[in-house]
Amino acid sequence: SKLIVRRLLLVLPLLFTTMATSASSKLSKAVKQQYMDLPQGDQVQAMYIWIDGTGEGLRCKTRTLDSEPKTIEDLPEWNFDGSSTYQSEGSNSDMYLIPQAMFRDPFRKDPNKLVLCEVLKYNRKLAETNLRQMCKKIMGMVQNQHPWFGMEQEYTLLGTDSHPFGWPSNGFPGPQGPYYCGVGADKAYGRDVVEAHYRACLYAGVKICGTNAEVMPAQWEFQVGPCEGIDMGDHLWIARFLLHRVCEDFGIVASFDPKPIPGNWNGAGCHTNFSTKEMREEGGLKYIEESIERLAKRHQYHIRAYDPKGGLDNARRLTGHHETSNINEFSAGVANRGASIRIPRSVGQEMKGYFEDRRPSANCDPYAVTEALVRTCLLNEESEEPVKYK
């Protein structure tokens, strides 16, 4: 009888799980495919993608090109209405899209393109959430050190009602423990989305290098890298765009909220792995330790740079619990997932490699994160504000 009760406890939550999905996802994909299979001649669809005024959201729109672009220089500038993207007032709303990086389009397929753009205001000055240009300048100052990055993007799958995907409608799943890298319908929630996103990234040319189910059910992670310099931000933003588009097809939502569910559930971060040529060579541990010492003296500057609200989002996540450090304290250690900076055990043994900054939030801007690391570790900045270079 105890066995029957235990089995019922496992099955009952699944019986009361109803998932809110979008109306668009219920439209016939077979009907759509009839049109997607039509020839398009020599013309190409280019989807322009940009970061909106929230610093987190992505927007996109498509234009026709007369031939397939081979380089960024082949792509024309464009414009959009910034008053509808939290980026300008209606009385002066034209803003410019400046193409910066091009990828293959996994939804429309070759020869169609995805185009990541910077945003300029009507006077051609940087939009407030355009952090790419300064990041690129900083990366250019240290290009001889070959800074490599790898970012571990955690996210949570939600229904359109903001309820975690696969969770009981009026309750919670079993406690954390069996879900991390889990296998099985009662442990892995939403793997179809993960597989589709992975293949879309590979097709597009995004440097995705892995994925896994995370500690909280319906929480997943993908890793992008190693990428050098500005490529890290470009590839992570496009990977995020692809995830949103894949989820759109499935009728659910990908959230990068750093703490989507309060209480005894893990938050979502974007752990950032960093190294230079010197760190990767023999005796590189010395340079890793020097960088960690510099980071220790500039903790609050990094906390402000590591989420789009200047640390307020991360305050909900960096509590010192659930594999996080305390937001008010800096710490470092070998193989310590409760520290601000983790040195992997293999790095400690081989005396070279990289370190992991575990502080960035899931909704961070990768341009801000990578720029901050270079400023502190390689340009030796120490003040609470970034140095202005000519």
Side-chain angles (χ1 to χ4, degrees):
S1 60
K2 287 183 178 179
L3 182 61
I4 293 172
V5 170
R6 285 167 64 185
R7 286 179 175 173
L8 280 172
L9 288 173
L10 288 172
V11 172
L12 280 173
L14 300 176
L15 297 177
F16 295 99
T17 300
T18 56
M19 182 52 51
T21 56
S22 70
S24 295
S25 67
K26 298 176 177 64
L27 295 173
S28 172
K29 306 302 178 187
V31 171
K32 174 191 170 187
Q33 194 58 43
Q34 292 180 50
Y35 300 99
M36 298 305 291
D37 289 338
L38 293 172
Q40 61 187 75
D42 293 330
Q43 293 184 309
V44 169
Q45 291 172 281
M47 179 174 280
Y48 281 43
I49 301 161
W50 70 98
I51 302 162
D52 70 16
T54 66
E56 300 178 61
L58 287 163
R59 307 294 179 113
C60 65
K61 63 176 187 171
T62 300
R63 69 182 299 161
T64 302
L65 303 177
D66 290 333
S67 60
E68 181 179 358
K70 302 299 182 182
T71 67
I72 286 296
E73 288 70 30
D74 296 333
L75 294 161
E77 291 185 11
W78 207 6
N79 55 65
F80 69 96
D81 170 18
S83 68
S84 300
T85 61
Y86 315 115
Q87 288 172 297
S88 71
E89 297 179 359
S91 59
N92 197 358
S93 65
D94 277 1
M95 303 192 77
Y96 296 102
L97 292 172
I98 315 299
Q100 298 294 338
M102 183 167 61
F103 297 81
R104 298 169 71 197
D105 187 337
F107 307 104
R108 295 165 172 154
K109 301 182 181 175
D110 289 338
N112 303 298
K113 305 297 181 186
L114 303 178
V115 182
L116 181 64
C117 299
E118 284 188 19
V119 176
L120 301 182
K121 294 191 277 192
Y122 70 94
N123 56 7
R124 302 200 62 93
K125 291 185 178 180
L126 296 179
E128 282 72 13
T129 54
N130 178 0
L131 306 185
R132 185 185 186 277
Q133 198 168 112
M134 179 55 69
C135 179
K136 186 176 181 181
K137 178 179 179 178
I138 295 300
M139 294 301 168
M141 294 171 66
V142 298
Q143 60 184 354
N144 63 327
Q145 299 188 54
H146 300 285
W148 287 7
F149 303 92
M151 299 186 80
E152 306 170 20
Q153 178 68 71
E154 293 180 331
Y155 62 94
T156 307
L157 295 177
L158 308 174
T160 52
D161 58 358
S162 298
H163 193 69
F165 180 82
W167 284 34
S169 300
N170 299 304
F172 297 91
Q176 296 181 156
Y179 308 107
Y180 173 70
C181 297
V183 179
D186 58 341
K187 299 179 183 68
Y189 298 10
R191 193 185 296 277
D192 283 356
V193 171
V194 176
E195 293 294 335
H197 173 249
Y198 203 145
R199 193 59 62 90
C201 284
L202 290 174
Y203 183 95
V206 170
K207 292 182 180 177
I208 188 170
C209 61
T211 189
N212 59 269
E214 267 302 334
V215 176
M216 187 180 82
Q219 185 187 69
W220 293 82
E221 172 184 298
F222 63 88
Q223 302 94 31
V224 175
C227 294
E228 186 165 332
I230 196 67
D231 284 351
M232 183 68 256
D234 291 349
H235 282 249
L236 189 64
W237 274 115
I238 289 296
R240 287 175 173 176
F241 171 81
L242 293 174
L243 180 61
H244 286 309
R245 275 288 286 104
V246 167
C247 284
E248 185 182 318
D249 283 347
F250 282 99
I252 61 175
V253 176
S255 169
F256 297 115
D257 190 292
K259 188 70 174 179
I261 308 298
N264 196 27
W265 303 97
N266 272 37
C270 193
H271 303 155
T272 301
N273 301 281
F274 174 59
S275 71
T276 62
K277 186 173 184 289
E278 286 182 324
M279 294 178 193
R280 296 187 293 270
E281 293 175 344
E282 293 301 322
L285 185 60
K286 169 178 177 283
Y287 300 102
I288 292 172
E289 291 172 342
E290 288 176 356
S291 289
I292 292 173
E293 288 176 13
R294 294 188 186 107
L295 290 166
K297 298 174 184 176
R298 219 177 182 211
H299 178 60
Q300 290 305 320
Y301 163 73
H302 283 265
I303 289 298
R304 290 196 301 275
Y306 284 0
D307 82 47
K309 296 182 178 65
L312 293 177
D313 274 348
N314 239 344
R316 294 182 285 124
R317 168 181 160 257
L318 295 179
T319 60
H321 304 288
H322 306 107
E323 300 182 65
T324 69
S325 58
N326 188 298
I327 194 169
N328 298 311
E329 301 169 2
F330 181 87
S331 57
V334 175
N336 183 358
R337 284 179 163 77
S340 308
I341 304 293
R342 180 181 72 93
I343 300 176
R345 190 168 300 283
S346 61
V347 172
Q349 292 169 345
E350 296 174 12
M351 306 290 283
K352 63 179 180 179
Y354 66 97
F355 66 85
E356 175 192 47
D357 193 334
R358 297 178 61 80
R359 294 172 293 176
S361 65
N363 62 342
C364 70
D365 188 323
Y367 298 129
V369 172
T370 55
E371 178 189 325
L373 282 166
V374 167
R375 284 179 176 273
T376 300
C377 298
L378 304 187
L379 297 178
N380 303 334
E381 293 185 18
E382 296 180 352
S383 63
E384 282 302 305
E385 295 298 326
V387 175
K388 294 182 180 179
Y389 299 98
K390 292 182 180 179

